[in-house]
Amino acid sequence: MTGVLDINQGLRHCNNDPAIYVAVLQQFLLQYRDGINTTTWLADPEQAKIELHTLKGLCATIGALPLSTLAAHSYQHWSELTANDAKDELQQLSLELQHLIRAIDNYLNKIN
């Protein structure tokens, strides 16, 4: 899981305040712990683009650059994807999100 979460970058985005960073990570977990609702995202392409953009930004903020980059890539060409390709991309995003959630949990457990 090395490289999934750059804590130093996330802290920089949170004014180098560990308490703020922890609060942001906890909110991220509240929003994404259950994963991506692929059914909804596949059924509503415009909502999917909004969700991808949000995921991209939140991941960049917390220092999760691999997932942020993946979400940005999907966002940029989402409307051009076939249903199968969109499903594949969401599976990739979901897998990376699972790795990120584990990394966040590990970090939060270490500091508590």
PDB file of all heavy atoms in Angstrom, residues 77-106:
ATOM      1  N   HIS A  77     -12.885  11.496 -19.493  1.00  0.00           N
ATOM      2  CA  HIS A  77     -13.419  10.802 -20.668  1.00  0.00           C
ATOM      3  C   HIS A  77     -14.661   9.955 -20.357  1.00  0.00           C
ATOM      4  O   HIS A  77     -15.029   9.093 -21.137  1.00  0.00           O
ATOM      5  CB  HIS A  77     -12.312   9.961 -21.332  1.00  0.00           C
ATOM      6  CG  HIS A  77     -11.875   8.772 -20.538  1.00  0.00           C
ATOM      7  ND1 HIS A  77     -10.904   8.851 -19.591  1.00  0.00           N
ATOM      8  CD2 HIS A  77     -12.283   7.490 -20.554  1.00  0.00           C
ATOM      9  CE1 HIS A  77     -10.735   7.661 -19.050  1.00  0.00           C
ATOM     10  NE2 HIS A  77     -11.560   6.817 -19.612  1.00  0.00           N
ATOM     11  N   TRP A  78     -15.309  10.238 -19.241  1.00  0.00           N
ATOM     12  CA  TRP A  78     -16.447   9.435 -18.799  1.00  0.00           C
ATOM     13  C   TRP A  78     -17.549   9.359 -19.859  1.00  0.00           C
ATOM     14  O   TRP A  78     -18.085   8.288 -20.133  1.00  0.00           O
ATOM     15  CB  TRP A  78     -17.012   9.992 -17.493  1.00  0.00           C
ATOM     16  CG  TRP A  78     -18.062   9.111 -16.919  1.00  0.00           C
ATOM     17  CD1 TRP A  78     -19.412   9.303 -16.960  1.00  0.00           C
ATOM     18  CD2 TRP A  78     -17.862   7.872 -16.245  1.00  0.00           C
ATOM     19  NE1 TRP A  78     -20.060   8.267 -16.335  1.00  0.00           N
ATOM     20  CE2 TRP A  78     -19.125   7.377 -15.894  1.00  0.00           C
ATOM     21  CE3 TRP A  78     -16.730   7.135 -15.903  1.00  0.00           C
ATOM     22  CZ2 TRP A  78     -19.295   6.175 -15.208  1.00  0.00           C
ATOM     23  CZ3 TRP A  78     -16.898   5.942 -15.220  1.00  0.00           C
ATOM     24  CH2 TRP A  78     -18.168   5.476 -14.891  1.00  0.00           C
ATOM     25  N   SER A  79     -17.888  10.469 -20.470  1.00  0.00           N
ATOM     26  CA  SER A  79     -19.010  10.484 -21.422  1.00  0.00           C
ATOM     27  C   SER A  79     -18.703   9.717 -22.702  1.00  0.00           C
ATOM     28  O   SER A  79     -19.612   9.403 -23.465  1.00  0.00           O
ATOM     29  CB  SER A  79     -19.416  11.927 -21.749  1.00  0.00           C
ATOM     30  OG  SER A  79     -18.310  12.651 -22.205  1.00  0.00           O
ATOM     31  N   GLU A  80     -17.441   9.383 -22.939  1.00  0.00           N
ATOM     32  CA  GLU A  80     -17.060   8.641 -24.141  1.00  0.00           C
ATOM     33  C   GLU A  80     -16.992   7.134 -23.921  1.00  0.00           C
ATOM     34  O   GLU A  80     -16.808   6.377 -24.877  1.00  0.00           O
ATOM     35  CB  GLU A  80     -15.695   9.136 -24.624  1.00  0.00           C
ATOM     36  CG  GLU A  80     -15.671  10.617 -24.929  1.00  0.00           C
ATOM     37  CD  GLU A  80     -14.254  11.172 -24.927  1.00  0.00           C
ATOM     38  OE1 GLU A  80     -13.288  10.386 -24.848  1.00  0.00           O
ATOM     39  OE2 GLU A  80     -14.131  12.405 -24.974  1.00  0.00           O
ATOM     40  N   LEU A  81     -17.138   6.696 -22.676  1.00  0.00           N
ATOM     41  CA  LEU A  81     -16.971   5.277 -22.356  1.00  0.00           C
ATOM     42  C   LEU A  81     -18.209   4.457 -22.706  1.00  0.00           C
ATOM     43  O   LEU A  81     -19.335   4.927 -22.549  1.00  0.00           O
ATOM     44  CB  LEU A  81     -16.691   5.095 -20.859  1.00  0.00           C
ATOM     45  CG  LEU A  81     -15.397   5.678 -20.319  1.00  0.00           C
ATOM     46  CD1 LEU A  81     -15.340   5.494 -18.807  1.00  0.00           C
ATOM     47  CD2 LEU A  81     -14.204   5.017 -20.971  1.00  0.00           C
ATOM     48  N   THR A  82     -17.976   3.233 -23.130  1.00  0.00           N
ATOM     49  CA  THR A  82     -19.084   2.290 -23.270  1.00  0.00           C
ATOM     50  C   THR A  82     -19.489   1.860 -21.862  1.00  0.00           C
ATOM     51  O   THR A  82     -18.753   2.070 -20.896  1.00  0.00           O
ATOM     52  CB  THR A  82     -18.654   1.045 -24.069  1.00  0.00           C
ATOM     53  OG1 THR A  82     -17.668   0.338 -23.300  1.00  0.00           O
ATOM     54  CG2 THR A  82     -18.104   1.421 -25.441  1.00  0.00           C
ATOM     55  N   ALA A  83     -20.626   1.228 -21.745  1.00  0.00           N
ATOM     56  CA  ALA A  83     -21.105   0.769 -20.441  1.00  0.00           C
ATOM     57  C   ALA A  83     -20.104  -0.201 -19.805  1.00  0.00           C
ATOM     58  O   ALA A  83     -19.821  -0.121 -18.608  1.00  0.00           O
ATOM     59  CB  ALA A  83     -22.474   0.126 -20.573  1.00  0.00           C
ATOM     60  N   ASN A  84     -19.556  -1.112 -20.616  1.00  0.00           N
ATOM     61  CA  ASN A  84     -18.586  -2.076 -20.084  1.00  0.00           C
ATOM     62  C   ASN A  84     -17.292  -1.397 -19.635  1.00  0.00           C
ATOM     63  O   ASN A  84     -16.719  -1.755 -18.596  1.00  0.00           O
ATOM     64  CB  ASN A  84     -18.278  -3.168 -21.110  1.00  0.00           C
ATOM     65  CG  ASN A  84     -19.380  -4.193 -21.192  1.00  0.00           C
ATOM     66  OD1 ASN A  84     -20.131  -4.392 -20.244  1.00  0.00           O
ATOM     67  ND2 ASN A  84     -19.475  -4.853 -22.331  1.00  0.00           N
ATOM     68  N   ASP A  85     -16.833  -0.429 -20.419  1.00  0.00           N
ATOM     69  CA  ASP A  85     -15.615   0.284 -20.039  1.00  0.00           C
ATOM     70  C   ASP A  85     -15.839   1.102 -18.766  1.00  0.00           C
ATOM     71  O   ASP A  85     -14.961   1.169 -17.899  1.00  0.00           O
ATOM     72  CB  ASP A  85     -15.134   1.197 -21.171  1.00  0.00           C
ATOM     73  CG  ASP A  85     -14.554   0.413 -22.332  1.00  0.00           C
ATOM     74  OD1 ASP A  85     -14.193  -0.768 -22.145  1.00  0.00           O
ATOM     75  OD2 ASP A  85     -14.465   0.983 -23.442  1.00  0.00           O
ATOM     76  N   ALA A  86     -17.011   1.713 -18.655  1.00  0.00           N
ATOM     77  CA  ALA A  86     -17.342   2.476 -17.447  1.00  0.00           C
ATOM     78  C   ALA A  86     -17.365   1.551 -16.231  1.00  0.00           C
ATOM     79  O   ALA A  86     -16.831   1.887 -15.165  1.00  0.00           O
ATOM     80  CB  ALA A  86     -18.678   3.183 -17.612  1.00  0.00           C
ATOM     81  N   LYS A  87     -17.944   0.394 -16.409  1.00  0.00           N
ATOM     82  CA  LYS A  87     -17.991  -0.592 -15.319  1.00  0.00           C
ATOM     83  C   LYS A  87     -16.580  -1.008 -14.913  1.00  0.00           C
ATOM     84  O   LYS A  87     -16.264  -1.092 -13.720  1.00  0.00           O
ATOM     85  CB  LYS A  87     -18.797  -1.809 -15.779  1.00  0.00           C
ATOM     86  CG  LYS A  87     -19.169  -2.753 -14.693  1.00  0.00           C
ATOM     87  CD  LYS A  87     -19.953  -3.915 -15.307  1.00  0.00           C
ATOM     88  CE  LYS A  87     -21.135  -4.244 -14.453  1.00  0.00           C
ATOM     89  NZ  LYS A  87     -21.909  -5.353 -14.958  1.00  0.00           N
ATOM     90  N   ASP A  88     -15.712  -1.243 -15.887  1.00  0.00           N
ATOM     91  CA  ASP A  88     -14.323  -1.605 -15.605  1.00  0.00           C
ATOM     92  C   ASP A  88     -13.597  -0.492 -14.845  1.00  0.00           C
ATOM     93  O   ASP A  88     -12.849  -0.756 -13.909  1.00  0.00           O
ATOM     94  CB  ASP A  88     -13.563  -1.922 -16.896  1.00  0.00           C
ATOM     95  CG  ASP A  88     -13.999  -3.226 -17.541  1.00  0.00           C
ATOM     96  OD1 ASP A  88     -14.678  -4.035 -16.872  1.00  0.00           O
ATOM     97  OD2 ASP A  88     -13.665  -3.427 -18.729  1.00  0.00           O
ATOM     98  N   GLU A  89     -13.821   0.742 -15.271  1.00  0.00           N
ATOM     99  CA  GLU A  89     -13.161   1.866 -14.597  1.00  0.00           C
ATOM    100  C   GLU A  89     -13.645   1.993 -13.158  1.00  0.00           C
ATOM    101  O   GLU A  89     -12.865   2.275 -12.256  1.00  0.00           O
ATOM    102  CB  GLU A  89     -13.384   3.168 -15.370  1.00  0.00           C
ATOM    103  CG  GLU A  89     -12.630   3.145 -16.676  1.00  0.00           C
ATOM    104  CD  GLU A  89     -12.068   4.467 -17.103  1.00  0.00           C
ATOM    105  OE1 GLU A  89     -12.071   5.430 -16.310  1.00  0.00           O
ATOM    106  OE2 GLU A  89     -11.609   4.529 -18.254  1.00  0.00           O
ATOM    107  N   LEU A  90     -14.944   1.784 -12.951  1.00  0.00           N
ATOM    108  CA  LEU A  90     -15.468   1.861 -11.589  1.00  0.00           C
ATOM    109  C   LEU A  90     -14.912   0.738 -10.717  1.00  0.00           C
ATOM    110  O   LEU A  90     -14.673   0.939  -9.522  1.00  0.00           O
ATOM    111  CB  LEU A  90     -16.993   1.834 -11.593  1.00  0.00           C
ATOM    112  CG  LEU A  90     -17.663   3.105 -12.124  1.00  0.00           C
ATOM    113  CD1 LEU A  90     -19.172   2.970 -12.085  1.00  0.00           C
ATOM    114  CD2 LEU A  90     -17.213   4.336 -11.348  1.00  0.00           C
ATOM    115  N   GLN A  91     -14.674  -0.416 -11.308  1.00  0.00           N
ATOM    116  CA  GLN A  91     -14.056  -1.505 -10.546  1.00  0.00           C
ATOM    117  C   GLN A  91     -12.633  -1.129 -10.133  1.00  0.00           C
ATOM    118  O   GLN A  91     -12.214  -1.399  -9.013  1.00  0.00           O
ATOM    119  CB  GLN A  91     -14.062  -2.806 -11.354  1.00  0.00           C
ATOM    120  CG  GLN A  91     -15.433  -3.438 -11.436  1.00  0.00           C
ATOM    121  CD  GLN A  91     -15.453  -4.682 -12.312  1.00  0.00           C
ATOM    122  OE1 GLN A  91     -14.638  -4.842 -13.218  1.00  0.00           O
ATOM    123  NE2 GLN A  91     -16.407  -5.569 -12.038  1.00  0.00           N
ATOM    124  N   GLN A  92     -11.904  -0.494 -11.042  1.00  0.00           N
ATOM    125  CA  GLN A  92     -10.549  -0.029 -10.730  1.00  0.00           C
ATOM    126  C   GLN A  92     -10.576   1.011  -9.618  1.00  0.00           C
ATOM    127  O   GLN A  92      -9.788   0.956  -8.677  1.00  0.00           O
ATOM    128  CB  GLN A  92      -9.911   0.616 -11.958  1.00  0.00           C
ATOM    129  CG  GLN A  92      -9.026  -0.268 -12.769  1.00  0.00           C
ATOM    130  CD  GLN A  92      -8.310   0.579 -13.810  1.00  0.00           C
ATOM    131  OE1 GLN A  92      -8.939   1.196 -14.662  1.00  0.00           O
ATOM    132  NE2 GLN A  92      -7.000   0.594 -13.737  1.00  0.00           N
ATOM    133  N   LEU A  93     -11.496   1.965  -9.747  1.00  0.00           N
ATOM    134  CA  LEU A  93     -11.638   2.999  -8.729  1.00  0.00           C
ATOM    135  C   LEU A  93     -11.996   2.379  -7.381  1.00  0.00           C
ATOM    136  O   LEU A  93     -11.454   2.770  -6.349  1.00  0.00           O
ATOM    137  CB  LEU A  93     -12.706   4.018  -9.139  1.00  0.00           C
ATOM    138  CG  LEU A  93     -12.319   5.009 -10.227  1.00  0.00           C
ATOM    139  CD1 LEU A  93     -13.561   5.666 -10.810  1.00  0.00           C
ATOM    140  CD2 LEU A  93     -11.364   6.051  -9.687  1.00  0.00           C
ATOM    141  N   SER A  94     -12.902   1.426  -7.394  1.00  0.00           N
ATOM    142  CA  SER A  94     -13.332   0.772  -6.158  1.00  0.00           C
ATOM    143  C   SER A  94     -12.175   0.043  -5.483  1.00  0.00           C
ATOM    144  O   SER A  94     -12.016   0.100  -4.258  1.00  0.00           O
ATOM    145  CB  SER A  94     -14.476  -0.207  -6.430  1.00  0.00           C
ATOM    146  OG  SER A  94     -15.631   0.483  -6.829  1.00  0.00           O
ATOM    147  N   LEU A  95     -11.375  -0.634  -6.273  1.00  0.00           N
ATOM    148  CA  LEU A  95     -10.226  -1.355  -5.731  1.00  0.00           C
ATOM    149  C   LEU A  95      -9.222  -0.388  -5.108  1.00  0.00           C
ATOM    150  O   LEU A  95      -8.744  -0.598  -3.984  1.00  0.00           O
ATOM    151  CB  LEU A  95      -9.568  -2.197  -6.819  1.00  0.00           C
ATOM    152  CG  LEU A  95      -8.389  -3.053  -6.390  1.00  0.00           C
ATOM    153  CD1 LEU A  95      -8.799  -4.072  -5.335  1.00  0.00           C
ATOM    154  CD2 LEU A  95      -7.802  -3.760  -7.601  1.00  0.00           C
ATOM    155  N   GLU A  96      -8.921   0.670  -5.820  1.00  0.00           N
ATOM    156  CA  GLU A  96      -7.988   1.677  -5.296  1.00  0.00           C
ATOM    157  C   GLU A  96      -8.568   2.337  -4.038  1.00  0.00           C
ATOM    158  O   GLU A  96      -7.836   2.609  -3.084  1.00  0.00           O
ATOM    159  CB  GLU A  96      -7.688   2.733  -6.372  1.00  0.00           C
ATOM    160  CG  GLU A  96      -6.598   3.696  -6.004  1.00  0.00           C
ATOM    161  CD  GLU A  96      -5.217   3.071  -5.946  1.00  0.00           C
ATOM    162  OE1 GLU A  96      -4.944   2.066  -6.628  1.00  0.00           O
ATOM    163  OE2 GLU A  96      -4.385   3.607  -5.183  1.00  0.00           O
ATOM    164  N   LEU A  97      -9.876   2.561  -4.025  1.00  0.00           N
ATOM    165  CA  LEU A  97     -10.529   3.144  -2.858  1.00  0.00           C
ATOM    166  C   LEU A  97     -10.417   2.208  -1.646  1.00  0.00           C
ATOM    167  O   LEU A  97     -10.164   2.660  -0.534  1.00  0.00           O
ATOM    168  CB  LEU A  97     -11.996   3.457  -3.165  1.00  0.00           C
ATOM    169  CG  LEU A  97     -12.816   4.069  -2.033  1.00  0.00           C
ATOM    170  CD1 LEU A  97     -12.213   5.388  -1.559  1.00  0.00           C
ATOM    171  CD2 LEU A  97     -14.258   4.274  -2.498  1.00  0.00           C
ATOM    172  N   GLN A  98     -10.556   0.920  -1.864  1.00  0.00           N
ATOM    173  CA  GLN A  98     -10.406  -0.045  -0.766  1.00  0.00           C
ATOM    174  C   GLN A  98      -8.989   0.028  -0.181  1.00  0.00           C
ATOM    175  O   GLN A  98      -8.813   0.002   1.039  1.00  0.00           O
ATOM    176  CB  GLN A  98     -10.693  -1.467  -1.251  1.00  0.00           C
ATOM    177  CG  GLN A  98     -12.141  -1.733  -1.544  1.00  0.00           C
ATOM    178  CD  GLN A  98     -12.333  -3.098  -2.209  1.00  0.00           C
ATOM    179  OE1 GLN A  98     -11.423  -3.918  -2.298  1.00  0.00           O
ATOM    180  NE2 GLN A  98     -13.548  -3.334  -2.702  1.00  0.00           N
ATOM    181  N   HIS A  99      -7.993   0.110  -1.040  1.00  0.00           N
ATOM    182  CA  HIS A  99      -6.605   0.239  -0.575  1.00  0.00           C
ATOM    183  C   HIS A  99      -6.429   1.530   0.236  1.00  0.00           C
ATOM    184  O   HIS A  99      -5.756   1.538   1.274  1.00  0.00           O
ATOM    185  CB  HIS A  99      -5.616   0.229  -1.734  1.00  0.00           C
ATOM    186  CG  HIS A  99      -5.538  -1.067  -2.463  1.00  0.00           C
ATOM    187  ND1 HIS A  99      -5.321  -2.274  -1.848  1.00  0.00           N
ATOM    188  CD2 HIS A  99      -5.648  -1.351  -3.781  1.00  0.00           C
ATOM    189  CE1 HIS A  99      -5.304  -3.246  -2.726  1.00  0.00           C
ATOM    190  NE2 HIS A  99      -5.508  -2.707  -3.923  1.00  0.00           N
ATOM    191  N   LEU A 100      -7.025   2.606  -0.260  1.00  0.00           N
ATOM    192  CA  LEU A 100      -6.922   3.888   0.422  1.00  0.00           C
ATOM    193  C   LEU A 100      -7.597   3.826   1.790  1.00  0.00           C
ATOM    194  O   LEU A 100      -7.039   4.318   2.776  1.00  0.00           O
ATOM    195  CB  LEU A 100      -7.533   4.999  -0.431  1.00  0.00           C
ATOM    196  CG  LEU A 100      -7.591   6.383   0.219  1.00  0.00           C
ATOM    197  CD1 LEU A 100      -6.197   6.856   0.620  1.00  0.00           C
ATOM    198  CD2 LEU A 100      -8.262   7.371  -0.723  1.00  0.00           C
ATOM    199  N   ILE A 101      -8.760   3.239   1.861  1.00  0.00           N
ATOM    200  CA  ILE A 101      -9.468   3.139   3.142  1.00  0.00           C
ATOM    201  C   ILE A 101      -8.630   2.357   4.153  1.00  0.00           C
ATOM    202  O   ILE A 101      -8.524   2.746   5.321  1.00  0.00           O
ATOM    203  CB  ILE A 101     -10.873   2.537   2.945  1.00  0.00           C
ATOM    204  CG1 ILE A 101     -11.766   3.576   2.245  1.00  0.00           C
ATOM    205  CG2 ILE A 101     -11.481   2.080   4.269  1.00  0.00           C
ATOM    206  CD1 ILE A 101     -13.091   3.054   1.764  1.00  0.00           C
ATOM    207  N   ARG A 102      -8.005   1.281   3.708  1.00  0.00           N
ATOM    208  CA  ARG A 102      -7.118   0.520   4.604  1.00  0.00           C
ATOM    209  C   ARG A 102      -5.942   1.386   5.071  1.00  0.00           C
ATOM    210  O   ARG A 102      -5.555   1.354   6.250  1.00  0.00           O
ATOM    211  CB  ARG A 102      -6.614  -0.744   3.925  1.00  0.00           C
ATOM    212  CG  ARG A 102      -7.628  -1.875   3.972  1.00  0.00           C
ATOM    213  CD  ARG A 102      -7.016  -3.219   3.673  1.00  0.00           C
ATOM    214  NE  ARG A 102      -6.507  -3.353   2.318  1.00  0.00           N
ATOM    215  CZ  ARG A 102      -7.252  -3.727   1.268  1.00  0.00           C
ATOM    216  NH1 ARG A 102      -8.522  -4.014   1.418  1.00  0.00           N
ATOM    217  NH2 ARG A 102      -6.708  -3.813   0.074  1.00  0.00           N
ATOM    218  N   ALA A 103      -5.375   2.159   4.158  1.00  0.00           N
ATOM    219  CA  ALA A 103      -4.246   3.027   4.517  1.00  0.00           C
ATOM    220  C   ALA A 103      -4.686   4.099   5.518  1.00  0.00           C
ATOM    221  O   ALA A 103      -3.957   4.395   6.478  1.00  0.00           O
ATOM    222  CB  ALA A 103      -3.653   3.680   3.261  1.00  0.00           C
ATOM    223  N   ILE A 104      -5.857   4.669   5.316  1.00  0.00           N
ATOM    224  CA  ILE A 104      -6.372   5.674   6.251  1.00  0.00           C
ATOM    225  C   ILE A 104      -6.618   5.033   7.613  1.00  0.00           C
ATOM    226  O   ILE A 104      -6.235   5.581   8.654  1.00  0.00           O
ATOM    227  CB  ILE A 104      -7.651   6.335   5.705  1.00  0.00           C
ATOM    228  CG1 ILE A 104      -7.324   7.193   4.482  1.00  0.00           C
ATOM    229  CG2 ILE A 104      -8.319   7.187   6.789  1.00  0.00           C
ATOM    230  CD1 ILE A 104      -8.557   7.698   3.726  1.00  0.00           C
ATOM    231  N   ASP A 105      -7.257   3.871   7.616  1.00  0.00           N
ATOM    232  CA  ASP A 105      -7.502   3.162   8.881  1.00  0.00           C
ATOM    233  C   ASP A 105      -6.189   2.884   9.606  1.00  0.00           C
ATOM    234  O   ASP A 105      -6.087   3.089  10.821  1.00  0.00           O
ATOM    235  CB  ASP A 105      -8.252   1.849   8.642  1.00  0.00           C
ATOM    236  CG  ASP A 105      -9.740   2.037   8.409  1.00  0.00           C
ATOM    237  OD1 ASP A 105     -10.305   3.072   8.841  1.00  0.00           O
ATOM    238  OD2 ASP A 105     -10.351   1.135   7.801  1.00  0.00           O
ATOM    239  N   ASN A 106      -5.185   2.414   8.877  1.00  0.00           N
ATOM    240  CA  ASN A 106      -3.877   2.132   9.485  1.00  0.00           C
ATOM    241  C   ASN A 106      -3.268   3.394  10.094  1.00  0.00           C
ATOM    242  O   ASN A 106      -2.739   3.370  11.204  1.00  0.00           O
ATOM    243  CB  ASN A 106      -2.909   1.526   8.465  1.00  0.00           C
ATOM    244  CG  ASN A 106      -3.258   0.107   8.102  1.00  0.00           C
ATOM    245  OD1 ASN A 106      -3.951  -0.589   8.841  1.00  0.00           O
ATOM    246  ND2 ASN A 106      -2.795  -0.335   6.946  1.00  0.00           N
TER     247      ASN A 106
END
